[in-house]
């Protein structure tokens, strides 16, 4: 079968450039929404996965799911510290952090709204076992005091959160002595202070979580078995990275489902628009179609040529929409973490997978919108074309 040259197909899009731009523009808006939703999900996943370290282990109360709901007794914490396979530092201190996690309601910087911020009571070991957390201003809080350090996202997003200021929480004043960068992980949205002071101020008698670093990742299975076999513990144990990845699943599924549903609804309009454009193209070029058939081009060649025009429209719309969505990577936003009911800052992330899925979605819209008009063009006979021309 002799094919109609691609240059002929593309030239027709250029000849009808006003219609091409309008149709492709409509498609690009749908593609923009589609790509932005996928980028949002990827950004949340990236933030949550980066929060955990691959060789850190987090222990919670059985069935609690999150640190906020968890409760670990001091006796249980002591038993956990004695387990084999836990790394020690150069002075022989086991790298175990006993932590209390609570929520605080703080006013936002750019509005009168307030939002929950996670406050983590931890220790110097808690900082040491999380190498992604680095102080960028000030210093570490001193143990036994009400000094705190805050993540960069908290410092940027909430009022009166800057170095040297004090925050009123749990009836006490907490002085900000440092700001840390957690490499875009969930810790950027947290406030850290001395664990004993946090527990005393918030009247907690139990820990929220025990976090420790393994000597190597192979040590996880024996430790998990030892905890599961001890009837006095009744605790859940997970690798820290997996724990935070699981926390992001519910939120990303909800955002993806909601966003894709909207994209599908919007895409119906874009498909109809492409279909109208292509039907108009067929109606205005019936004589041209008859000429092509008279020159020996078969029905399939005409169908493929018109379908190629529709896919060309979708390609232009897809590239425009994807280019617009890529700009969103410069935007940092925050949303409610549905697992902890606290604020979580993240950024949109464009990956190769998102790009491929977005362009596939755009081409699918072009195919659905262009197939029927292309099929109609391919069915026209030479005589019918000459009569209607």
């Amino acid at each position: 079968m002799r094919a109609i040259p691609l240059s002929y197909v593309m030239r027709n899009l250029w000849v009808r450039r006003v219609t091409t731009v309008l149709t492709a523009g409509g498609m690009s808006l749908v593609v923009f929404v589609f790509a932005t939703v996928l980028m949002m999900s990827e950004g949340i996943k990236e933030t949550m996965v980066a929060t955990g370290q691959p060789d850190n282990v987090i222990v919670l109360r059985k069935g609690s799911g999150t640190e906020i709901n968890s409760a670990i007794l001091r006796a249980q914490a002591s038993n956990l510290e004695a387990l084999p396979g836990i790394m020690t530092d150069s002075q022989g201190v086991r790298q175990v952090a006993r932590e209390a996690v609570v929520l605080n309601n703080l006013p936002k910087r750019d509005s009168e709204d307030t939002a929950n911020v996670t406050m983590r009571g931890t220790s110097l070991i808690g900082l040491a076992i999380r190498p992604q957390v680095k102080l960028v201003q000030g210093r570490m809080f001193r143990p036994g005091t009400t000094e705190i350090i805050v993540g960069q996202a908290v410092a940027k997003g909430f009022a009166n959160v800057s170095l040297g200021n004090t925050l009123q929480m749990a009836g006490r004043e907490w002085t900000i002595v440092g700001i840390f960068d957690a490499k875009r992980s969930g810790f950027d949205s947290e406030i850290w202070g001395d664990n004993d002071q946090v527990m005393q101020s918030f009247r907690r008698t139990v820990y929220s979580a025990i976090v420790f670093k393994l000597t190597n990742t192979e040590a996880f299975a024996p430790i998990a078995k030892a905890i599961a076999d001890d009837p006095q513990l009744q605790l859940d144990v997970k690798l820290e990275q997996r724990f935070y990845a699981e926390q992001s699943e519910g939120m990303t599924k909800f955002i993806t489902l909601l966003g894709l549903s909207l994209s599908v609804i919007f895409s119906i309009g874009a498909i109809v628009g492409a279909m109208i454009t292509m039907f108009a193209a067929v109606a205005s070029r019936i004589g041209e179609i008859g000429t092509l058939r008279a020159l020996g081009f078969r029905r399939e060649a005409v169908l493929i040529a018109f379908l190629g025009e529709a896919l060309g429209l979708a390609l232009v719309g897809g590239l425009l929409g994807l280019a617009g969505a890529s700009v969103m990577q410069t935007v940092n936003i925050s949303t409610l973490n549905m697992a902890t009911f606290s604020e979580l800052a993240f950024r949109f992330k464009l990956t190769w997978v998102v790009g491929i899925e977005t362009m596939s979605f755009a081409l699918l819209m072009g195919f659905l919108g262009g197939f029927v008009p292309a099929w109609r063009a391919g069915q026209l006979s030479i005589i019918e074309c000459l009569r209607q021309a």
Side-chain angles (χ1 to χ4, degrees):
M1 179 185 68
R2 188 159 60 120
I4 296 175
L6 181 62
S7 58
Y8 169 84
V9 175
M10 294 297 109
R11 192 168 59 246
N12 279 320
L13 289 177
W14 175 249
V15 169
R16 295 179 289 107
R17 47 187 173 276
V18 175
T19 308
T20 299
V21 169
L22 292 176
T23 306
M27 285 186 161
S28 70
L29 294 177
V30 179
V31 171
F32 174 82
V33 173
F34 183 86
T36 301
V37 169
L38 295 183
M39 288 168 62
M40 182 182 290
S41 295
E42 286 295 326
I44 293 173
K45 282 181 191 173
E46 179 192 51
T47 299
M48 295 304 288
V49 170
T51 304
Q53 288 292 307
D55 55 350
N56 280 358
V57 172
I58 184 168
V59 183
L60 305 173
R61 184 187 65 187
K62 202 170 200 55
S64 57
T66 66
E67 294 170 287
I68 297 293
N69 301 328
S70 177
I72 297 179
L73 303 174
R74 292 178 184 271
Q76 291 175 317
S78 298
N79 290 341
L80 291 171
E81 280 193 9
L83 290 171
I86 297 177
M87 179 174 281
T88 57
D89 64 9
S90 58
Q91 298 178 339
V93 177
R94 287 179 165 263
Q95 297 300 283
V96 180
R98 302 183 179 194
E99 297 187 332
V101 178
V102 296
L103 294 179
N104 277 289
N105 201 254
L106 296 179
K108 288 191 170 183
R109 184 179 290 274
D110 300 326
S111 69
E112 297 181 353
D113 296 334
T114 60
N116 283 334
V117 179
T118 299
M119 183 172 187
R120 182 178 298 275
T122 185
S123 62
L124 296 177
I125 295 176
L127 181 66
I129 62 177
R130 295 173 174 119
Q132 75 272 38
V133 179
K134 302 288 185 187
L135 283 168
V136 292
Q137 291 184 48
R139 57 174 175 79
M140 182 63 174
F141 61 78
R142 292 176 298 178
T145 68
T146 55
E147 294 176 344
I148 53 175
I149 57 176
V150 300
Q152 282 191 324
V154 178
K156 292 176 182 174
F158 288 86
N160 301 320
V161 181
S162 57
L163 203 60
N165 282 3
T166 57
L167 298 177
Q168 193 75 24
M169 296 183 292
R172 301 176 70 176
E173 287 190 346
W174 301 78
T175 305
I176 302 171
V177 297
I179 296 175
F180 61 84
D181 176 11
K183 304 293 183 187
R184 296 185 181 278
S185 68
F187 294 134
D188 265 331
S189 303
E190 293 188 355
I191 298 173
W192 288 13
D194 178 70
N195 186 49
D196 291 333
Q197 294 299 315
V198 171
M199 292 180 68
Q200 182 181 350
S201 301
F202 289 85
R203 299 179 181 178
R204 285 190 65 106
T205 57
V206 292
Y207 302 111
S208 300
I210 305 298
V211 184
F212 55 84
K213 182 173 283 295
L214 298 169
T215 52
N216 54 66
T217 53
E218 286 74 22
F220 175 71
I223 284 183
K225 185 175 185 307
I227 294 175
D229 292 343
D230 190 338
Q232 295 183 339
L233 292 180
Q234 294 296 308
L235 301 171
D236 282 336
V237 55
K238 293 180 181 177
L239 288 169
E240 192 182 35
Q241 202 168 62
R242 179 175 176 76
F243 167 73
Y244 284 109
E246 287 178 353
Q247 283 207 332
S248 71
E249 287 179 0
M251 187 161 48
T252 55
K253 280 181 182 176
F254 173 76
I255 291 173
T256 303
L257 183 62
L258 179 63
L260 293 185
S261 300
L262 291 174
S263 297
V264 169
I265 293 171
F266 294 157
S267 70
I268 295 173
I271 291 170
V272 171
M275 194 174 291
I276 291 172
T277 299
M278 293 309 300
F279 267 127
V282 172
S284 63
R285 290 156 58 193
I286 288 182
E288 187 179 314
I289 295 170
T291 304
L292 289 171
R293 296 296 313 279
L295 290 173
F297 290 103
R298 301 180 63 177
R299 296 177 187 273
E300 293 82 0
V302 174
L303 185 149
I304 292 172
F306 276 85
L307 192 57
E309 288 186 31
L311 293 176
L313 281 172
L315 183 64
V316 173
L319 291 174
L320 288 174
L322 193 58
S326 67
V327 178
M328 295 297 291
Q329 291 185 104
T330 61
V331 178
N332 292 316
I333 64 171
S334 61
T335 186
L336 179 69
N337 185 338
M338 297 178 187
T340 62
F341 299 103
S342 62
E343 200 81 349
L344 176 69
F346 66 97
R347 64 168 183 165
F348 294 90
K349 183 177 176 59
L350 178 60
T351 64
W352 283 105
V353 174
V354 171
I356 292 171
E357 289 177 347
T358 300
M359 292 309 300
S360 299
F361 177 70
L363 292 174
L364 178 62
M365 283 196 298
F367 179 82
L368 295 176
F371 181 78
V372 175
W375 179 81
R376 166 65 180 155
Q379 293 302 307
L380 291 171
S381 64
I382 298 175
I383 297 175
E384 193 175 359
C385 289
L386 292 176
R387 283 178 180 169
Q388 296 185 25

